[in-house]
Amino acid sequence: MKTLIIAEKPDMGRTIAAVIEPKAQNKRSYLEGEQYIITWAIGHLVSLAEPDHYDPKYKKWNEADLPIIPDRFILFPNPRTKDQLQIIGDLSKRCDRLVNACDAGREGQLIFHLIRQYLKMTQPTERLWISDLTPETIRRGFDMLRSDQEYDPLTRAARARSEADWLVGMNASRAFTIRHRTLLSVGRVQTPVLALLYDRHKEITAFDSETYFVVQAVFNQEDFSYKGLWQGDRITKREQAEALAAKVADKQGRIVSYETNESKEYPFRLYDLTLLQREANGKFGYPAKKTLDIAQALYEKHKVITYPRTSSNYVTEENIPVMGNVLNTLKQSTQYGDLANGADHSRVHKGNKAVCNPAKVEDHHAILPTPKKPGALSAEEQNIYDLIVRRFLSHYYPPAVYNNHEVITEVEGETFRTRAKEQLDAGWRVVLSGDESKGAPEKSRKKKGDDGTGADDSEDELMVTDRPFSVNAALPVHCSEAAAVEKATKPPKPFTEGTLLKAMESAGKSIEDDELREAMKQTGLGTPATRAATIERLKQVGYIKPTGKRLDITTKGCAAIELIRGAGVELLASPEMTGRWEQRLHQISKGEASDEQFMQKVKQFAEMIVGKVKRQRPAAASLFAEEEAEKKGRSRSKGDAEKSVSAAAAGRKASSDKSVSAPKTRKTAPKKSAAGGENEPATPASATSSNAPAVIGGCPRPGCGGQVVEGKRGYGCIRFREGCSFVIWKEQQGRAITAAMAKALVTNGETRKLTLKSADGAAFSGKLILADRERGTIEFAALNE
């Protein structure tokens, strides 16, 4: 019999097959050779089932049924990929050995073992554990296959994470939704992240800006000039600052002290995923998910970078020779040839702890380019690839060298300070693109408050220059000009995706417990592989919205955090719980802790959440009301259509017996959460029949068969999750579309005759017609009378 290899995605499977079974026959959903059959998952083929699979009563969201704590978790196949799951099951019957070739990490382990458990595959299993998809690495990986049993602790940790997220997300989301009569999504990772945005929002709105003044002066000595900043207590009166400027202007002065010292700046760390996402957001404006998708394509499709979902900024000793091969390949590159030929091969070695630090590499090393030459990359792929290559090359260059100058100048008894950083040798900075190589170095440019903490701009400005800076302390100086400059204290900066990723990565800094803080250093909130999805999830549920690069928390997002904290379950919104969980999960993955004891604690926590929420006073309906201006400014995107229909399906009120029922037309697999498997309940559906959303009529979209119901902002099809995009918005070109109009449009394709008024007050007649049965677009047709 043959060996069945299960990769995580099709591209990975085909790449592996090309190396170990180059003559394998392509059967579309798998490849078959003489020794191996290679197939693949498509992400999660199997997930934890939703509550109604345990008992039909859970379709109705009833407070009395909480908490939901299964004795044994049921698995449920993803309906969209059930055919591939069936193929894996059929292929396994022809094989006497399995190879787990899913991503080498906790989530990859979970994907494989849920498939194995659901299909009851009992064959001996080996584990392929590799960090890139080059032929050399794949061959070496198959030469070093290990028994999958050696990874049992990691499997237990993965399963415990998934089940624990299900228990907390499912119970907390249902409890808060039922109690407060609006859909509130709660999760172990997403809620603390939302709390970061909430707390920053409150800091900004409560900030009271203070105006102050600084005095800047320009000094001349022979043919050299430099600026200085007055040193003294903060000045809050303009008159005082202007008087001080007038006092020193056009006066002689002297240099009280002049100190210089040399410093070196070493290359920045190699990329892990979060750092790559942060820099791509800052430089190109890419959302975190987009950067992850691009990096995944560079890894899977183009095979020009190593595994991107890593949390490490270092490599191991085994990577050093491969890095040398990459450098040699880059020397042949048109774009990077000059830089690669100017690199010093000897700088990257086993003793260079800034690069090679095995103790700081867990599942995967830092993101590196591979020896494979890239083919045709899109502009966006080239941007990300360029970041990774230049960061890699920087470590083969010497440090940048600077001469730091500090001058204290005195004029009329007043003291001014000058700080300058003169670049003597660009060193590794020559590998940076464009103006970056000439600009101020990252560390010296960073001033207190640059990370959005809201601290004032530094009043002791640093001048960075690549021109010679030289003054003679023995010679006098002349203050050629002086001016009072108005400044204002600044509030904390709103989060961008880049700064939010950094905050998620370092959220543990606020934890006082040393042991917990150490655990959070390794994980932060979420993992590199899931942080982008967490941010996307917060957008999808209406808690945050992007405004340019900025991320703003919505009224609903604020209300969610206030209700969670008000219920007395602050841990749900705190990084502390995530820290404790990740600490214990890490111990489980190393065989140092019991997953059974961990799950028992999680069950108790879920029970506690439900108990406290049940005692909470229901929120006023007005708490979730959106401002009218925000309504008018909202874009009519497909995503908004889905949210609108979701709201319709959810219903606006729970019944008096605190129950909410799930839509009868919807049967889907449980959602894999945006935060790395944070399972949350499917959108609760309509309230009991007396409060169900009004049915407008059958969906006009060809082949749909769903029903159009009235939602908060539109009339949409309840089968939107199956792909139906039909929605008629209630506001159309300044006119309200009533339920009667919507019913006529859905049923007849047009309304009765309407009389409208133009901007000048003239009346005219016409009808609204359904111009697009796919999307619900309507147009006004004037009638000639």
Side-chain angles (χ1 to χ4, degrees):
M1 298 182 80
K2 298 180 180 181
T3 296
L4 178 63
I5 299 170
I6 302 176
E8 188 161 322
K9 293 181 180 177
D11 281 347
M12 296 173 64
R14 295 186 184 105
T15 301
I16 290 171
V19 175
I20 63 169
E21 282 281 13
K23 296 182 180 180
Q25 289 183 300
N26 188 344
K27 307 285 189 177
R28 284 192 63 223
S29 297
Y30 64 96
L31 296 112
E32 184 166 357
E34 293 181 2
Q35 184 179 355
Y36 298 105
I37 300 176
I38 304 96
T39 189
W40 41 80
I42 307 171
H44 280 266
L45 299 185
V46 179
S47 300
L48 299 181
E50 290 192 21
D52 57 83
H53 289 279
Y54 296 86
D55 191 323
K57 71 178 182 180
Y58 292 135
K59 285 186 177 180
K60 181 178 289 185
W61 288 32
N62 195 322
E63 194 173 71
D65 291 332
L66 300 179
I68 303 170
I69 301 179
D71 295 327
R72 180 183 61 82
F73 281 90
I74 298 173
L75 301 182
F76 189 78
N78 185 335
R80 291 178 296 180
T81 53
K82 62 183 179 181
D83 290 345
Q84 183 64 18
L85 183 65
Q86 181 63 48
I87 287 168
I88 293 175
D90 294 340
L91 293 174
S92 70
K93 296 171 184 176
R94 298 168 47 201
C95 300
D96 60 359
R97 190 169 71 111
L98 306 176
V99 173
N100 175 4
C102 292
D103 282 355
R106 190 169 72 185
E107 204 64 18
Q109 201 70 7
L110 180 66
I111 287 171
F112 175 85
H113 278 275
L114 290 182
I115 293 171
R116 188 172 188 241
Q117 178 185 343
Y118 184 80
L119 295 176
K120 298 180 173 62
M121 298 188 297
T122 59
Q123 298 93 324
T125 304
E126 293 177 295
R127 185 56 156 115
L128 176 69
W129 193 275
I130 56 177
S131 289
D132 65 66
L133 293 171
T134 57
E136 298 79 6
T137 301
I138 292 171
R139 291 190 191 97
R140 187 166 60 248
F142 272 90
D143 289 340
M144 301 172 64
L145 288 175
R146 297 165 64 182
S147 170
D148 192 70
Q149 290 182 340
E150 294 182 38
Y151 295 88
D152 275 351
L154 182 62
T155 305
R156 288 197 296 273
R159 196 182 301 275
R161 195 279 308 151
S162 175
E163 294 176 357
D165 278 339
W166 190 99
L167 287 169
V168 171
M170 201 66 69
N171 283 290
S173 293
R174 287 194 174 211
F176 278 102
T177 295
I178 295 167
R179 172 59 41 169
H180 302 296
R181 304 183 181 94
T182 194
L183 179 61
L184 292 174
S185 176
V186 182
R188 173 181 66 97
V189 178
Q190 73 170 49
T191 302
V193 174
L194 181 62
L196 291 176
L197 288 145
Y198 174 86
D199 291 339
R200 176 63 56 83
H201 168 73
K202 287 298 182 184
E203 288 179 59
I204 293 171
T205 54
F207 186 82
D208 188 11
S209 181
E210 176 189 355
T211 299
Y212 65 98
F213 299 86
V214 298
V215 178
Q216 296 176 337
V218 177
F219 302 105
N220 297 320
Q221 186 185 73
E222 296 182 330
D223 59 348
F224 185 77
S225 66
Y226 63 94
K227 292 181 179 180
L229 208 62
W230 181 77
Q231 302 297 291
D233 294 336
R234 175 172 286 183
I235 301 173
T236 57
K237 295 182 179 179
R238 181 184 295 275
E239 297 79 8
Q240 181 184 351
E242 290 177 342
L244 198 154
K247 177 182 178 182
V248 300
D250 201 27
K251 299 290 172 50
Q252 291 293 106
R254 67 189 183 94
I255 295 175
V256 177
S257 70
Y258 176 33
E259 296 180 358
T260 64
N261 65 81
E262 191 174 280
S263 65
K264 294 181 178 180
E265 181 192 36
Y266 291 88
F268 303 143
R269 295 172 300 164
L270 292 169
Y271 284 122
D272 62 9
L273 177 58
T274 302
L275 183 57
L276 179 64
Q277 289 170 317
R278 283 167 44 195
E279 296 203 3
N281 180 256
K283 187 171 183 180
F284 306 117
Y286 295 167
K289 184 179 184 302
K290 182 172 187 173
T291 299
L292 173 58
D293 290 344
I294 294 170
Q296 198 69 24
L298 291 171
Y299 167 64
E300 287 182 14
K301 179 181 175 182
H302 300 288
K303 303 168 187 63
V304 293
I305 67 169
T306 59
Y307 185 69
R309 297 168 183 256
T310 176
S311 59
S312 176
N313 304 103
Y314 302 92
V315 301
T316 65
E317 295 175 356
E318 291 76 16
N319 301 126
I320 300 299
V322 180
M323 292 174 71
N325 294 337
V326 174
L327 183 62
N328 290 333
T329 300
L330 291 173
K331 288 179 180 180
Q332 314 304 317
S333 163
T334 303
Q335 185 172 1
Y336 304 107
D338 290 343
L339 291 174
N341 282 300
D344 182 354
H345 194 286
S346 66
R347 287 193 169 273
V348 174
H349 52 81
K350 296 177 182 178
N352 183 348
K353 293 299 182 184
V355 177
C356 183
N357 194 337
K360 293 188 176 181
V361 178
E362 294 234 351
D363 293 339
H364 298 282
H365 55 72
I367 303 173
L368 302 171
T370 68
K372 187 179 185 299
K373 294 180 181 180
L377 302 180
S378 69
E380 293 173 340
E381 289 171 338
Q382 178 60 42
N383 286 340
I384 298 301
Y385 181 68
D386 186 69
L387 288 178
I388 294 167
V389 170
R390 291 180 186 274
R391 183 60 57 94
F392 167 82
L393 286 171
S394 70
H395 287 273
Y396 287 92
Y397 277 77
V401 181
Y402 299 90
N403 203 4
N404 302 290
H405 305 263
E406 184 176 288
V407 184
I408 303 297
T409 307
E410 185 181 272
V411 182
E412 296 293 306
E414 304 295 343
T415 301
F416 293 80
R417 186 184 189 193
T418 302
R419 293 173 63 235
K421 195 178 188 80
E422 176 191 0
Q423 187 180 86
L424 302 179
D425 186 345
W428 64 272
R429 296 187 70 83
V430 299
V431 310
L432 298 179
S433 59
D435 294 337
E436 287 180 307
S437 59
K438 300 177 182 177
E442 184 175 289
K443 291 181 181 177
S444 56
R445 279 184 305 189
K446 181 147 180 94
K447 294 182 270 188
K448 188 177 180 182
D450 277 2
D451 59 354
T453 58
D456 298 341
D457 287 344
S458 171
E459 294 182 20
D460 198 7
E461 294 176 351
L462 173 66
M463 179 177 72
V464 181
T465 177
D466 55 2
R467 297 179 179 180
F469 183 98
S470 179
V471 296
N472 189 334
L475 297 179
V477 298
H478 178 254
C479 179
S480 59
E481 60 181 279
V485 180
E486 182 177 322
K487 300 255 185 177
T489 55
K490 297 179 181 179
K493 295 178 182 178
F495 279 117
T496 64
E497 289 208 21
T499 57
L500 182 59
L501 284 167
K502 182 178 181 181
M504 292 170 73
E505 189 177 38
S506 59
K509 287 182 179 178
S510 62
I511 297 177
E512 295 181 4
D513 185 295
D514 290 339
E515 199 175 354
L516 274 180
R517 189 164 59 248
E518 188 62 31
M520 290 292 281
K521 278 183 184 178
Q522 302 299 319
T523 58
L525 292 173
T527 66
T530 64
R531 287 177 188 136
T534 299
I535 296 172
E536 290 303 308
R537 175 67 179 165
L538 291 173
K539 294 176 187 175
Q540 291 164 6
V541 298
Y543 285 161
I544 65 174
K545 62 178 181 181
T547 306
K549 282 190 176 182
R550 192 176 75 228
L551 290 177
D552 291 333
I553 188 169
T554 64
T555 303
K556 183 178 181 180
C558 289
I561 291 299
E562 289 166 359
L563 289 171
I564 289 166
R565 288 174 171 169
V569 287
E570 295 87 346
L571 274 179
L572 269 176
S574 163
E576 182 178 349
M577 184 184 74
T578 292
R580 291 189 185 279
W581 281 36
E582 291 297 347
Q583 180 187 44
R584 189 52 52 88
L585 289 168
H586 183 72
Q587 291 170 344
I588 293 169
S589 72
K590 299 298 181 184
E592 299 167 357
S594 165
D595 54 318
E596 292 180 358
Q597 292 179 4
F598 170 75
M599 289 304 300
Q600 191 57 42
K601 293 286 187 183
V602 172
K603 291 174 182 177
Q604 293 171 3
F605 183 57
E607 290 175 350
M608 181 270 286
I609 293 170
V610 170
K612 289 197 172 187
V613 177
K614 283 181 177 180
R615 295 191 293 272
Q616 190 176 26
R617 172 185 285 185
S622 60
L623 185 63
F624 299 98
E626 295 176 337
E627 296 179 3
E628 199 64 31
E630 187 178 344
K631 275 186 180 181
K632 292 180 180 178
R634 182 171 289 111
S635 68
R636 308 304 195 187
S637 66
K638 179 181 177 183
D640 285 331
E642 292 185 352
K643 290 177 192 172
S644 177
V645 181
S646 176
R652 307 318 305 162
K653 293 182 180 180
S655 65
S656 58
D657 68 351
K658 299 285 196 306
S659 66
V660 181
S661 56
K664 295 179 181 179
T665 55
R666 179 172 174 260
K667 278 194 175 181
T668 63
K671 281 184 281 189
K672 178 183 179 290
S673 139
E678 256 185 282
N679 285 291
E680 293 172 353
T683 306
S686 55
T688 51
S689 57
S690 61
N691 291 301
V695 175
I696 301 300
C699 180
R701 186 171 180 266
C704 175
Q707 289 183 315
V708 175
V709 297
E710 181 176 1
K712 188 175 181 181
R713 300 194 308 276
Y715 309 93
C717 180
I718 61 175
R719 292 181 61 85
F720 74 98
R721 290 193 181 278
E722 284 81 358
C724 184
S725 56
F726 184 88
V727 61
I728 297 174
W729 297 106
K730 286 187 174 180
E731 290 183 15
Q732 299 270 354
Q733 302 174 350
R735 183 180 181 87
I737 306 300
T738 66
M741 292 178 186
K743 185 172 184 178
L745 287 164
V746 167
T747 306
N748 305 319
E750 62 181 21
T751 64
R752 59 177 175 79
K753 185 175 75 172
L754 304 172
T755 301
L756 304 178
K757 285 188 178 182
S758 62
D760 59 5
F764 58 97
S765 299
K767 292 183 179 181
L768 294 176
I769 61 171
L770 184 62
D772 186 347
R773 291 178 173 268
E774 293 280 338
R775 297 184 175 276
T777 306
I778 63 176
E779 296 178 355
F780 181 79
L783 296 177
N784 297 319
E785 297 182 336

